[in-house]
Amino acid sequence: MKMRIFAERPSVFRCYPVAMHTAAIFDKALALEPISHEEARFLYEHAALPEMMYVANEIRKLKKAGTPGIVTWQIDRNVNTTNVCVANCKFCNFFRVPGHPDSYITDDETYKRKIEEMFALGGDQLLLQGGHHPQLGIDWYEALFTRLKSWYPQLKLHALGPPEVVHISEISGISYYETLQRLQAAGMDSIPGAGAEILNDRVRRLISNGKCTGEEWLEVMRQAHKLDMPSSATMMFGHIETLDERIEHLVRIRAVQYEKPEDSVGFRAFIPWPYQDDGTLLQRVKGINNDVSAHEYLMTLALSRIVLVNIENIQVSWLTVGPKVAQAALYGGANDMGSIMIEENVVSAAGAPFRFTSDEIQKCIQEAGFSPRLRDQQYNFRPQPQGVTLVEV
Ligand code: SF4
């Protein structure tokens, strides 16, 4: 607490050496040089929020030099392959154990209906994820992706996530590389940064022990980058992690991005979002609530932009923080509002209360003083889809 009070004080009250060191780190960040773990910690503990947001916004302008006044957004639909899962994460209200009466595997007719509804709303992509089903291996996913692409060749599949890839590769007895290669050949276009939570294994053992380790998560992304499969990265924060574990998460993601082959896209975007606690085991049994304030979210988002100098896009999590904080974040390092997320089931099951239509997300961006532009998963601007009113820019 003491730390936060100090961080919120205007810089004029800070002692000279602290101000000098803060300025030196900001200079380094503004030169797009990677700051160290210790420097990131120093900023979080000593810089004021307006300073952090100012510097993060300047870096955003450097990274998005051609489009400084534009904030992008997307239309896609979350569809879950299955809610059967053996990972048993302590923050998840979505999954059901094998054999549970409410468990399901999505059938072909449901996919067709949901995809056609999504096309009618102007979407172009399924965010296709699900639980760690103990019986569904590589053959099942290959067949599913192949069917989806044969019905709808124009459909984009932003699918699975590193923990699911680890699970599929383990039950299929093949490497991460082969798993991804076969999925890519079957139609998987890109891989979301799901299941990263906090990459430190102390944290993972306590909140998601049945999921892959932090190093396995990063290794799947290294293999995806070798295949030039675009990816994103996320951080779910504000539960049991320390500040150092949060910073370690950012630094490890940055390191993997530096390792990617030169001609590979790597991580297209980074999305930090606060843990949603409503009715989760973590809240009910351990008493861990989501206490992330707007100040803490904006500090963490700004720090993400400052540390991740080699990642192009920082996305606001409007679903978890709401439109007002999301608008402020557009002045603190973020350049993308994410998707309207037609049918989101996982985070919403843990209490995320916000919803956006295509009109509302554009108005939210405009109210903040930016021009909204629809994009695809590769951050290319998309033309106006039929049936969607795009605001003139
Ligand atoms: S978060 Fe994903 S892996 Fe964890 S229990 Fe829920 S469905 Fe399973």
Side-chain angles (χ1 to χ4, degrees):
M1 258 317 141
K2 216 172 180 182
M3 173 188 85
R4 182 177 291 176
I5 291 164
F6 184 61
E8 284 173 348
R9 289 165 66 182
S11 59
V12 70
F13 294 121
R14 281 191 266 123
C15 67
Y16 187 66
V18 169
M20 287 295 288
H21 192 44
T22 304
I25 302 169
F26 279 150
D27 282 346
K28 195 170 165 184
L30 286 165
L32 300 184
E33 289 173 27
I35 66 170
S36 68
H37 183 122
E38 292 68 32
E39 288 168 331
R41 177 178 239 290
F42 190 90
L43 287 185
Y44 197 91
E45 291 182 338
H46 296 92
L49 178 60
E51 292 173 308
M52 290 288 283
M53 289 179 70
Y54 174 80
V55 172
N57 193 39
E58 290 301 302
I59 295 172
R60 167 240 165 95
K61 286 191 224 162
L62 291 171
K63 300 295 286 182
K64 308 299 291 182
T67 54
I70 286 177
V71 168
T72 43
W73 64 287
Q74 191 184 18
I75 308 172
D76 68 3
R77 179 167 196 163
N78 296 39
V79 175
N80 302 114
T81 48
T82 175
N83 65 348
V84 174
C85 190
V86 290
N88 200 10
C89 301
K90 304 285 180 288
F91 53 84
C92 180
N93 292 338
F94 162 78
F95 81 96
R96 295 291 180 271
V97 293
H100 190 282
D102 297 338
S103 63
Y104 66 80
I105 295 176
T106 301
D107 60 39
D108 286 355
E109 289 316 305
T110 305
Y111 281 118
K112 285 180 180 167
R113 178 175 55 77
K114 291 187 174 189
I115 292 167
E116 282 164 25
E117 284 170 2
M118 188 257 311
F119 283 146
L121 289 167
D124 64 344
Q125 168 175 282
L126 283 195
L127 173 52
L128 189 60
Q129 296 175 315
H132 292 22
H133 193 298
Q135 265 95 47
L136 305 185
I138 186 68
D139 296 339
W140 188 87
Y141 284 94
E142 260 181 335
L144 172 64
F145 293 0
T146 304
R147 283 200 308 284
L148 293 174
K149 283 292 178 109
S150 71
W151 299 330
Y152 307 102
Q154 75 277 36
L155 177 71
K156 298 289 178 205
L157 288 179
H158 188 44
L160 309 176
E164 285 171 272
V165 171
V166 169
H167 174 73
I168 294 165
S169 87
E170 279 173 359
I171 65 172
S172 309
I174 56 176
S175 67
Y176 304 158
Y177 185 84
E178 189 184 343
T179 303
L180 288 164
Q181 196 176 37
R182 287 174 63 174
L183 293 170
Q184 189 178 42
M188 177 167 160
D189 294 290
S190 53
I191 178 167
E197 279 86 71
I198 291 286
L199 290 170
N200 180 283
D201 286 333
R202 180 197 75 84
V203 176
R204 299 180 81 75
R205 269 195 302 277
L206 291 170
I207 67 168
S208 53
N209 199 28
K211 250 181 192 165
C212 66
T213 64
E215 186 47 40
E216 286 167 339
W217 192 99
L218 292 165
E219 186 55 26
V220 169
M221 289 310 201
R222 284 190 194 96
Q223 301 307 317
H225 297 172
K226 279 188 197 160
L227 288 161
D228 197 19
M229 180 184 282
S231 65
S232 55
T234 61
M235 175 170 73
M236 184 187 79
F237 66 96
H239 37 90
I240 61 162
E241 85 286 0
T242 63
L243 174 60
D244 275 325
E245 286 162 344
R246 232 181 258 186
I247 294 170
E248 175 200 318
H249 182 99
L250 299 176
V251 169
R252 289 173 78 183
I253 284 172
R254 185 180 66 190
V256 168
Q257 182 75 336
Y258 276 127
E259 285 173 34
K260 75 176 178 64
E262 214 172 306
D263 53 355
S264 168
V265 166
F267 295 118
R268 275 268 188 229
F270 181 73
I271 311 126
W273 55 280
Y275 148 71
Q276 301 299 291
D277 57 10
D278 194 16
T280 62
L281 258 185
L282 208 51
Q283 183 190 54
R284 286 186 283 121
V285 178
K286 303 280 182 200
I288 309 292
N289 297 314
N290 168 15
D291 292 326
V292 175
S293 63
H295 177 276
E296 185 175 356
Y297 174 73
L298 292 169
M299 278 292 280
T300 304
L301 187 124
L303 188 70
S304 304
R305 176 58 97 180
I306 290 168
V307 172
L308 298 172
V309 282
N310 56 354
I311 295 184
E312 203 67 22
N313 301 290
I314 303 288
Q315 190 183 117
V316 169
S317 175
W318 62 262
L319 180 72
T320 56
V321 300
K324 296 295 172 206
V325 177
Q327 286 175 325
L330 298 178
Y331 289 93
N335 63 290
D336 183 78
M337 196 63 109
S339 170
I340 60 168
M341 287 193 265
I342 307 163
E343 189 191 347
E344 198 290 322
N345 296 316
V346 179
V347 180
S348 304
F354 301 103
R355 283 283 170 272
F356 261 149
T357 63
S358 289
D359 279 356
E360 287 163 351
I361 199 169
Q362 292 177 87
K363 281 184 191 138
C364 179
I365 293 167
Q366 283 190 316
E367 272 175 21
F370 293 91
S371 298
R373 286 296 293 266
L374 184 64
R375 67 160 172 88
D376 62 17
Q377 188 58 37
Q378 306 316 314
Y379 285 77
N380 300 314
F381 295 153
R382 277 186 65 202
Q384 177 171 338
Q386 268 193 345
V388 175
T389 318
L390 291 189
V391 177
E392 285 297 316
V393 295

